[in-house]
Amino acid sequence: MALVLSVVLASAATATAEDVRLDWPLRPPPALDGSARGFDAPSPDWQPGHRGADLPGSPGQRVYAAGAATVVFAGTLAGRPVVSLAHPGGLHTSYEPVRAAVRAGQTVTAQTVIGELLAGHRGCPAAACLHWGAMWGPASAADYVDPLGLLKSTRVRLKPLNG
């Protein structure tokens, strides 16, 4: 099955699309067969939606930082184990349910294991799923984006703004 993605990145941040090309947080990259839940942008941001992509994996599987970043949170949030990273240029990524192997303030790269994938992600059709989210800016004014569109392996196609 071919996965076709169109990406339009708009941000007030000074980063460009090339600056924020990310690596897969699960390795090897998971097979996306359409059974796991994909990104569903809420509109407006406070409405229901799915602010990330669920990647099928295995309990205990290593989870990697998707790129160079600083850990801004590693712990339990609303009863779920979460790791959040701040990347250069204003991009933030989040990973759950992940038992953290990092601490807030730590600098990481795409080769850094940030934790271990845990079972128990609601709605996951696999033994475990990583919920991977991405957003520009602070949580109070977040612009959620599909993290799969930021992958280095995804071809970026620009569309004209007027149609």
Side-chain angles (χ1 to χ4, degrees):
M1 175 179 107
L3 179 62
V4 179
L5 296 171
S6 292
V7 178
V8 177
L9 297 175
S11 172
T14 58
T16 67
E18 278 305 308
D19 294 334
V20 294
R21 304 302 283 169
L22 302 176
D23 291 314
W24 284 97
L26 295 180
R27 298 179 194 154
L32 300 178
D33 62 4
S35 63
R37 191 169 178 197
F39 179 74
D40 180 19
S43 181
D45 285 339
W46 50 268
Q47 288 287 335
H50 192 239
R51 294 162 176 83
D54 291 347
L55 307 178
S58 303
Q61 186 173 354
R62 291 178 173 176
V63 178
Y64 293 83
T70 300
V71 179
V72 292
F73 183 82
T76 303
L77 182 64
R80 297 184 305 249
V82 177
V83 175
S84 294
L85 306 178
H87 301 269
L91 180 71
H92 288 78
T93 55
S94 61
Y95 311 76
E96 67 174 91
V98 173
R99 179 179 297 124
V102 292
R103 66 189 184 297
Q106 183 175 342
T107 301
V108 296
T109 69
Q111 289 72 44
T112 304
V113 173
I114 61 171
E116 173 183 308
L117 182 60
L118 301 174
H121 184 61
R122 201 167 59 163
C124 175
C129 281
L130 175 68
H131 176 82
W132 184 32
M135 66 181 187
W136 289 105
S140 61
D143 181 17
Y144 296 97
V145 295
D146 186 348
L148 297 178
L150 298 174
L151 287 166
K152 289 178 183 174
S153 59
T154 300
R155 290 181 56 184
V156 174
R157 296 179 187 256
L158 300 178
K159 294 183 176 183
L161 291 175
N162 59 357

